[in-house]
Amino acid sequence: MQLPREVIVGNGVLKRITEVLQRLDLNGPILIVAGMKSCQIAGKQVSDLLQQNGINVDTILVQKVTRQDILMVEENIRRLKSRALIGIGGGTKIDAAKLSASRQKIPFISVPTTLSHDGIASPLASVKGLDKPYSVMAQAPLAIIADTDIIAQAPWRAVISGCGDAIAKFTAVKDWQLAHEEKEEYYGEYAASLALMSAKLVIENAQLIKPGNDKGLRVLLEALISCGVAMSIAGSSRPCSGSEHLFSHALDMFKFPHAMHGEQCGVGSILSAYLHDTKWKRIRDSLKQIGAPTTACELGVKDEDLIEALRIAAKIRPERYTILHKLKLDYKTCEKAARITGVVS
Ligand SMILES: [Zn+2]
């Protein structure tokens, strides 16, 4: 089990990065992985801070997270003999840093600039161009430095997506319980409780989650970090990724560019909760309150494509038993679920 050793959250905490590196005995060389934008927002500041403290640092910019991007980052880790990697950005940049650091067996530090999903603290990474459309095991960050002043500058839509990803843990845990009961799959009560608590935290504080409210950002940040820890404890994405995530992966195949990961998982969670015969209206209402999509139209996808995505979702990952694998839904049943929940009109 790998867990972060330092988690620093709050206004202006980015400047504490050198102190964190020193405590972790990581005195360089350090490689920063960032995107163009995240480099301007935070990467340059981190690089300057490290240099001022005599730490040898280099920065590499990545655009996407393809296999080639990972190989390129790895090549730079070897060339610069980096002792640690700092990933600065939203999901993709953090994932690129996480995976390449893990493959080169050096520690990784997560500096999120947006809160669009739970990858900021998880040991998993999603990479385009691999044979699997879902996340693969990499490593947990050794430290997380989440500066809310920086995160507050990101588009609000990213926060909405992060909330969708957190709320989706309700059905992810339901699916995990189902797999435990029916397929005798390992089930970890503690990891499941952590994931569930994250979803509850976001739902119960939905009224705080609005632009300009730092408290709301903090709630989401803590919820997403808890999700990451839940996955580290479970040793897989199981507590945080069930049928609603399979539905989101299936939707990715129907439309490009697609809606954000957490937006799709939120809608998937409404459908999944209905299929589990549990409180789907509460999930839908919380998403609405936050301003997250609850319909195919709001996701920008045709009704028939959404229904088809629900039908084929179980095939994306046959070994991950969920309510979709149990019910083996045909198109008509999927359509009925989507109509009753108001996801399609
Ligand atoms: Zn997710």
Side-chain angles (χ1 to χ4, degrees):
M1 188 192 302
Q2 289 179 328
L3 293 171
R5 266 177 56 193
E6 299 249 0
V7 179
I8 302 189
V9 172
N11 302 105
V13 295
L14 193 63
K15 56 180 177 295
R16 291 176 62 186
I17 186 123
T18 41
E19 146 202 339
V20 171
L21 288 175
Q22 277 155 5
R23 266 204 300 273
L24 296 170
D25 201 22
L26 298 170
N27 297 314
I30 302 289
L31 182 62
I32 294 173
V33 174
M36 282 273 246
K37 225 172 170 180
S38 55
C39 190
Q40 287 165 6
I41 297 169
K44 175 81 174 60
Q45 193 188 339
V46 171
S47 175
D48 290 349
L49 282 166
L50 266 53
Q51 278 177 30
Q52 284 158 18
N53 282 275
I55 298 173
N56 182 355
V57 58
D58 261 282
T59 301
I60 183 167
L61 298 182
V62 290
Q63 285 199 338
K64 297 183 202 138
V65 194
T66 62
R67 203 171 161 270
Q68 281 69 28
D69 292 308
I70 302 298
L71 294 175
M72 190 257 294
V73 177
E74 284 187 69
E75 168 59 33
N76 278 281
I77 294 174
R78 287 193 297 268
R79 185 174 61 82
L80 300 161
K81 298 192 172 40
S82 311
R83 286 214 40 216
L85 216 157
I86 304 178
I88 303 181
T92 52
K93 313 308 180 280
I94 299 263
D95 277 3
K98 191 188 294 177
L99 193 55
S100 34
S102 149
R103 284 165 55 118
Q104 290 298 313
K105 300 188 171 41
I106 60 167
F108 144 75
I109 291 164
S110 175
V111 179
T113 56
T114 72
L115 300 181
S116 56
H117 61 72
D118 60 22
I120 56 169
S122 80
L124 289 108
S126 171
V127 184
K128 302 259 177 292
L130 294 184
D131 51 345
K132 293 167 186 155
Y134 46 86
S135 301
V136 294
M137 213 46 182
Q139 68 176 357
L142 186 59
I144 303 164
I145 299 166
D147 190 326
T148 43
D149 285 344
I150 287 168
I151 290 164
Q153 295 173 39
W156 187 248
R157 193 175 165 196
V159 171
I160 287 177
S161 172
C163 290
D165 201 22
I167 290 173
K169 307 322 176 204
F170 265 126
T171 48
V173 170
K174 279 263 170 218
D175 283 321
W176 196 13
Q177 284 165 342
L178 185 75
H180 176 62
E181 283 157 18
E182 299 193 358
K183 300 286 168 187
E184 291 177 12
E185 192 181 308
Y186 159 77
Y187 176 79
E189 195 73 59
Y190 186 66
S193 304
L194 263 182
L196 219 47
M197 193 178 70
S198 306
K200 277 187 190 154
L201 200 64
V202 170
I203 287 187
E204 283 163 11
N205 290 284
Q207 79 284 358
L208 294 178
I209 301 174
K210 50 189 171 204
N213 190 339
D214 252 22
K215 269 191 191 162
L217 274 190
R218 242 185 130 106
V219 163
L220 177 60
L221 193 47
E222 283 166 9
L224 295 178
I225 291 172
S226 273
C227 293
V229 171
M231 287 185 262
S232 285
I233 291 171
S236 81
S237 63
R238 215 10 161 157
C240 295
S241 169
S243 46
E244 71 300 313
H245 272 68
L246 295 176
F247 166 76
S248 171
H249 297 317
L251 266 184
D252 288 348
M253 291 155 55
F254 279 90
K255 190 172 179 288
F256 192 83
H258 43 73
M260 294 185 80
H261 169 80
E263 292 177 323
Q264 296 185 158
C265 290
V267 174
S269 204
I270 300 174
L271 293 163
S272 173
Y274 168 79
L275 296 170
H276 272 291
D277 196 17
T278 185
K279 297 167 188 159
W280 63 268
K281 284 183 185 160
R282 192 171 180 219
I283 293 176
R284 182 198 59 189
D285 295 347
S286 302
L287 290 169
K288 272 191 178 168
Q289 189 178 1
I290 289 160
T294 56
T295 65
C297 178
E298 287 166 359
L299 285 177
V301 62
K302 288 188 208 144
D303 284 359
E304 57 270 31
D305 288 347
L306 182 139
I307 295 164
E308 183 60 7
L310 184 60
R311 190 188 71 81
I312 64 158
K315 296 190 183 81
I316 302 249
R317 215 169 166 177
E319 84 290 358
R320 176 151 289 185
Y321 190 75
T322 70
I323 191 71
L324 299 173
H325 300 80
K326 177 183 167 117
L327 300 177
K328 295 188 181 75
L329 307 170
D330 58 16
Y331 187 89
K332 272 215 149 342
T333 333
C334 291
E335 188 178 12
K336 189 180 161 205
R339 283 204 198 290
I340 291 175
T341 52
V343 170
V344 306
S345 46

